[in-house]
Amino acid sequence: MDTAGASDLHLIDTHCHLTFPPLCDDLDGVLARCAADDVEQVVVPAYDPASWAAVAALDDASRVRVRAAYGLHPWAADQPLDLDALAARLADARAVAVGEIGLDGKIERPTLAEQIPVLERQLALAHDLDRPVILHVRGAFSELLDLLDRFTPRLRGVVHAWSRPVDLARRFLDLGLMLGIGGAVTRPRASGVRGTVAAVPLECLVLETDAPSIGLDGVDPAACEPRHVRTVAGAIAGLRGDPLAHVAARTTGNAARLFGI
Ligand SMILES: [Zn+2]
């Protein structure tokens, strides 16, 4: 349970796939529960051109603003990327970032060699349009760092679903990127992310759930909803020894600054 009095936290879930089932099957309920747990904004990254339209079609709820990110995910890097179409999506009022994009060295296809030029073109677009990026990375950290190094410091963004040790985290922070902290931080054995969260400045962290892809300690991915960023914030507060309200205010401020929301 939360600390008494820690209501009205104005939380932001910076990474949630509201267009995926089961969330999309009960959007009104999901967003009502968000509002009840002080989650006031949700950033929804698209995945490929087919999902751009689905994300664009999402509506705000009465007390929850739904924001959009558009990009071509590394798992979809074998699909054609029309940069003009992507730029047109990014021009709509709901769009706050290019994402989710990145590199995944743990899948067979598309290969990293196929993924890298697709990411590079999207980083260049984000850089030119001065939009932040939402990054997915597994098993290709040095390749990603090399690419980012060419576009920072102007390029801003977040490495989402951070799970790795603090020394690797610091290499991204040195480039001016932020870390997206999600449900993994609630797991007692997740030493990488827990050590990172305890050691880095709070100014580098934003909250996310990645629902319904990642669960929390005791919460299955399919049951995970954006309202659970409150649990994530609580876990960060516990690890740092900070009050929940402080973690909420700072991480919300970070997300607002990053995405211009
Ligand atoms: Zn995601």
Side-chain angles (χ1 to χ4, degrees):
M1 292 301 291
D2 298 319
T3 324
S7 60
D8 209 16
L9 298 174
H10 312 291
L11 296 163
I12 301 177
D13 184 352
T14 63
H15 198 116
C16 173
H17 297 283
L18 288 179
T19 53
F20 291 2
L23 299 177
C24 60
D25 299 328
D26 179 27
L27 260 185
D28 291 347
V30 166
L31 294 178
R33 288 187 288 279
C34 264
D37 270 342
D38 302 323
V39 181
E40 297 181 343
Q41 302 193 62
V42 181
V43 179
V44 184
Y47 174 90
D48 63 2
S51 69
W52 295 354
V55 170
L58 289 167
D59 283 323
D60 291 339
S62 63
R63 288 177 52 219
V64 184
R65 297 289 300 275
V66 177
R67 312 288 189 169
Y70 298 106
L72 192 59
H73 195 284
W75 298 349
D78 50 358
Q79 294 185 31
L81 170 62
D82 179 341
L83 276 188
D84 292 335
L86 177 53
R89 285 290 182 193
L90 292 167
D92 81 44
R94 194 179 293 271
V96 297
V98 180
E100 110 181 54
I101 61 177
L103 295 178
D104 197 321
K106 298 207 167 176
I107 54 171
E108 270 181 32
R109 311 221 140 260
T111 62
L112 266 185
E114 292 170 299
Q115 295 172 37
I116 284 171
V118 172
L119 174 60
E120 191 176 5
R121 293 172 65 209
Q122 294 182 96
L123 292 176
L125 181 70
H127 178 272
D128 293 348
L129 297 178
D130 197 20
R131 290 301 187 101
V133 292
I134 297 174
L135 297 165
H136 164 110
V137 57
R138 291 194 314 169
F141 287 90
S142 54
E143 290 88 345
L144 180 60
L145 283 161
D146 285 348
L147 270 177
L148 290 172
D149 193 37
R150 294 166 36 197
F151 295 101
T152 51
R154 178 176 158 97
L155 184 75
R156 300 159 293 124
V158 54
V159 184
H160 110 89
W162 188 258
S163 67
R164 305 298 299 267
V166 65
D167 54 338
L168 185 56
R170 289 214 167 93
R171 298 184 61 194
F172 287 95
L173 303 185
D174 286 347
L175 293 175
L177 287 132
M178 292 190 187
L179 307 175
I181 306 299
V185 78
T186 64
R187 297 199 169 97
R189 294 172 64 184
S191 56
V193 62
R194 290 167 74 89
T196 296
V197 156
V200 301
L202 200 47
E203 283 60 38
C204 311
L205 306 182
V206 296
L207 309 178
E208 65 168 73
T209 60
D210 202 16
S213 305
I214 300 183
L216 297 89
D217 192 38
V219 180
D220 281 345
C224 184
E225 297 187 356
R227 69 183 175 90
H228 287 112
V229 285
R230 190 181 179 114
T231 311
V232 172
I236 295 171
L239 287 163
R240 298 179 62 91
D242 287 333
L244 174 61
H246 178 69
V247 170
R250 299 302 273 273
T251 55
T252 289
N254 299 340
R257 206 166 64 243
L258 177 64
F259 294 118
I261 56 181

